[in-house]
Amino acid sequence: RQHYSNSSDMGIRESGDFRFGFYANFNVQSSKQEWMNESRKMFYLRTTNAVSNNIHNGATPLRAEDLNHEQPSGSTYPSMYNNLRERVPSKSTVNRYANTDLVKCSLTNRFAHAVSTPRSVVNNHNKLSSMPSRSKAEISLHDWSSMEAPLPNFSNTEATSEFDGNANVGYENKHKLFAKKVAPSSPEKISLTNESKSTRKALAGIYDEVLVVDNIDSAENVVRLLTTKYKSFVHACGTEVANIDVKKETPVDHGEVICFSIYSGNLDAHADFGNGKTCIWVDVLDGGRDVLMAFAPFFEDMSIKKVCHNYSFDSHVIENYGIKVTGFHADTMHLARLWDSNRRTDGGYSLEGLTNDPRVMSDVGKDLIKTGKVSMKTIFGTKKIRKDGGEGKVVYIEPVEKLQREDRKMWICYSSLDSVNTLKLYESLKSKLEAKEWIFDGCPRGTMYDFYEEYWRPFGSLLVKMETEGMLVDRAYLSEIEKTAVAERKLAADKFRQWASEYSPDAKYMNVNSDIQLRQLFFAGIENRHKHGETWPQSKMFKVRNDENIAPEGQKASKFRTIELSGIVEDLKIDMFAPNGWPSVSIDALKILSGKIPMDQIYTIEDDQERDEYSNGSELPEQDIEAASSYGTAYEPFGGGKKGTEACHAIAALCERSSIDKLISSFILPLQ
């Protein structure tokens, strides 16, 4: 038996290999446009059944002449089929796959290339739309003739099956299914920002240089080139992943690769995959897992050099599919950190931050694309249109799966540019590191890129293996440590607040995490280093959380309250300044003020009686005199003696509080 989709416009040919295409129109039309009259429907069914019988029986060439059926005006047909499956052969494709999401077809002995008649989906049922008014269908079993017919407006879904004509091959081997989405360039009912529009226009220029791989045959052809002709090249790889929350989940055993790109180069030459295609973009979302698996020979070949930006993430998500990634050559994030370890506060180490920094990309080849990494928000950030037709304020980004299918061309450009920029960044950073001399114990050892190859590359690979293996964690024990750490953090913060409130009463309620509030206490009245004549005020009002529920008499306590902080010391010397010209209050700066304070003294909070035993300038106990030399630069400005000691201890408590906070957020909580 043959199973096929009823078609009004089809050509039949005899061939060894062929493709059967099915296109379904999902556009919902008005009822007047959608329904056909009963007689026309019956004619259509009779015609398609006759075609089916001819195909099945191997009939001689049949030619259907011009068909022109006018629909009677003013007719209504309440009996028109609400369920198409009741009116077509029981084993037709439409009957078996009502949602027409993906169509699987099996044919034997005869081979077809067909385009279906327009269909609509209403309330989950397939219904026939009107046929083209002037339809020519030319059918021949021996001589292929091209179709001459008005084609319908195809929808966003296209499913194609490819068959092997060898009758001795089983169905699973004969049948290959390729599915892809064809959609408008931008979603409906959204408003792109002006920045998005200009960026998209510039980004679209690289589309013609990208080879789209969405089936196994093309994947195997590309892999053949990568593993032979271009094997000695450096290959930059980048992935796009769905179904992962990177803030809560690791890429090990999490996430699904929806696409990836590869850009290959060697010195001044770059791989060419034909017709000017220099970059490969692989569709895994609709091409299927097998398309990704076809690249296993490339990813698993240790002799093929692979470069990534965050190699750890890319290798893990690919290994989730059973592919063991080898051939790690460089991680551009590691190279950037080796070249400049101070970018965390000056541009960062993201691909976007690095590739858009002229200082980083100054050594890139002139023949490469000059477009740096662009954020998803810039390209795909949209504003919904309100019911009144106005533009909403919130910029949002659709899920990546939806972007890949509905804004396909721009998504291909965006994701392909990642691998292009990664290779550009690698070449520029390699050049910079090769220009830096590596000296160890006074002896030249080569360049800093040599250092990377000898130490950082194998260490980076080792870290990825450690992440894959993981480690056992005692969560119950960490939970107890967390309680202790939280208690010590509060104790250290309270000690500082209690000490500072002796000079500025409202400091009891201050936010010790606020740089501005700390600067107000220590550096009131100081002049800005970069702006002559601009000084920090002697006192300032701040809005803080009202954790103590303090409220004026007769009023309800509000969530926030206002406090006033004043300077607590004069002429406090500091050599560290923030980029804005004001004194730094970082941990490193505060440690200079406090000096080296024993840990047991940091958590000691003296009561009022103990504090009154010594007045300002009173003699210190002998052991404190010996320890005074270890105090920091805050000791003398606060008067030395007992006052100076208390100041150094309080500032040390502030430093310890910050260290504990980092320990909790970066270690104790993530491990749990």
Side-chain angles (χ1 to χ4, degrees), residues 36 79 87 101 106 139 220 255-256 270 307 372 454 548 594:
M36 297 185 301
S79 63
R87 301 301 182 103
D101 239 354
S106 63
I139 303 173
E220 291 175 345
E256 298 177 12
H270 294 87
V307 174
E454 186 170 344
E548 296 79 12
S594 66

Side-chain angles (χ1 to χ4, degrees), residues 26 56 90 192 308 355 577:
F26 288 91
H56 177 64
S90 61
L192 294 171
C308 299
T355 55
F577 287 82

Side-chain angles (χ1 to χ4, degrees), residues 2 12 14 50-62 108-110 141-142:
Q2 295 189 29
I12 308 295
E14 191 168 38
V51 172
S52 175
N53 291 333
N54 278 312
I55 295 175
H56 177 64
N57 297 326
T60 55
L62 165 68
T108 56
N109 303 325
R110 304 300 176 194
L141 288 176
H142 303 289

Side-chain angles (χ1 to χ4, degrees), residues 337-621:
R337 184 62 182 264
L338 183 58
W339 175 66
D340 183 358
S341 60
N342 195 41
R343 284 188 59 87
R344 188 174 295 278
T345 57
D346 185 19
Y349 295 95
S350 69
L351 187 60
E352 180 182 2
L354 290 166
T355 55
N356 286 287
D357 190 335
R359 297 170 299 176
V360 181
M361 305 303 292
S362 58
D363 293 347
V364 70
K366 295 181 179 180
D367 59 322
L368 293 175
I369 301 171
K370 289 295 183 180
T371 304
K373 163 79 174 180
V374 185
S375 69
M376 286 183 63
K377 186 174 182 179
T378 301
I379 303 173
F380 303 106
T382 57
K383 296 180 179 180
K384 282 188 176 181
I385 303 300
R386 299 193 299 262
K387 292 182 179 180
D388 60 2
E391 189 178 85
K393 293 183 179 180
V394 178
V395 177
Y396 75 103
I397 303 175
E398 296 282 5
V400 291
E401 308 97 304
K402 187 173 183 180
L403 291 175
Q404 180 165 322
R405 284 173 169 156
E406 297 188 1
D407 203 356
R408 186 176 179 83
K409 180 177 179 179
M410 194 52 54
W411 178 260
I412 291 174
C413 295
Y414 162 77
S415 52
S416 298
L417 192 60
D418 277 5
S419 58
V420 175
N421 276 314
T422 298
L423 188 63
K424 287 191 334 184
L425 180 60
Y426 162 76
E427 293 178 349
S428 183
L429 289 173
K430 180 184 178 184
S431 177
K432 292 180 182 298
L433 290 173
E434 286 177 336
K436 284 182 175 287
E437 191 175 13
W438 169 24
I439 300 176
F440 181 72
D441 283 345
C443 300
R445 295 283 300 273
T447 69
M448 287 305 294
Y449 189 76
D450 295 327
F451 173 84
Y452 174 81
E453 288 187 313
E454 186 170 344
Y455 291 105
W456 276 32
R457 181 191 291 166
F459 184 52
S461 181
L462 176 63
L463 288 175
V464 172
K465 293 178 181 177
M466 291 173 63
E467 291 169 350
T468 302
E469 295 296 328
M471 65 178 69
L472 295 176
V473 173
D474 189 339
R475 293 182 177 178
Y477 178 68
L478 284 173
S479 179
E480 293 301 318
I481 291 180
E482 180 186 353
K483 295 176 183 177
T484 302
V486 169
E488 291 182 352
R489 180 178 62 181
K490 183 178 184 304
L491 187 63
D494 288 345
K495 177 171 182 174
F496 177 80
R497 289 192 185 100
Q498 182 178 340
W499 167 79
S501 64
E502 295 179 12
Y503 300 90
S504 180
D506 277 358
K508 186 185 299 183
Y509 312 109
M510 71 175 292
N511 176 11
V512 294
N513 283 324
S514 171
D515 288 356
I516 297 178
Q517 294 183 34
L518 291 175
R519 194 173 286 124
Q520 179 63 50
L521 293 179
F522 292 125
F523 302 107
I526 196 170
E527 185 177 17
N528 189 289
R529 194 178 191 181
H530 301 325
K531 300 177 182 178
H532 182 70
E534 183 176 349
T535 59
W536 197 273
Q538 289 294 336
S539 64
K540 197 171 183 180
M541 307 298 291
F542 296 95
K543 189 176 182 180
V544 298
R545 291 183 62 87
N546 188 11
D547 295 329
E548 296 79 12
N549 292 322
I550 298 175
E553 186 176 353
Q555 297 182 18
K556 185 179 180 180
S558 61
K559 188 176 181 179
F560 296 94
R561 59 169 303 197
T562 301
I563 63 172
E564 181 180 7
L565 297 180
S566 303
I568 62 176
V569 64
E570 296 180 358
D571 299 326
L572 187 60
K573 303 300 181 183
I574 187 76
D575 293 328
M576 297 180 66
F577 287 82
N580 58 13
W582 298 113
S584 173
V585 287
S586 64
I587 293 182
D588 291 337
L590 293 175
K591 285 182 177 179
I592 294 174
L593 296 178
S594 66
K596 298 180 180 179
I597 307 299
M599 189 68 65
D600 59 339
Q601 297 181 26
I602 290 178
Y603 294 102
T604 302
I605 297 182
E606 299 174 345
D607 57 28
D608 293 339
Q609 183 178 354
E610 291 175 324
R611 194 176 297 108
D612 290 340
E613 289 181 1
Y614 300 99
S615 60
N616 186 26
S618 296
E619 292 185 5
L620 291 171

Side-chain angles (χ1 to χ4, degrees), residues 134-181:
R134 300 284 298 177
S135 178
K136 291 184 179 181
E138 192 168 286
I139 303 173
S140 174
L141 288 176
H142 303 289
D143 301 316
W144 169 253
S145 300
S146 60
M147 293 180 294
E148 299 177 9
L151 297 178
N153 293 325
F154 297 130
S155 70
N156 298 348
T157 301
E158 173 185 320
T160 305
S161 297
E162 186 172 338
F163 299 81
D164 185 344
N166 186 353
N168 296 323
V169 181
Y171 172 78
E172 292 298 327
N173 292 328
K174 290 195 294 181
H175 178 202
K176 299 176 183 178
L177 178 65
F178 306 130
K180 51 187 174 181
K181 294 282 183 178

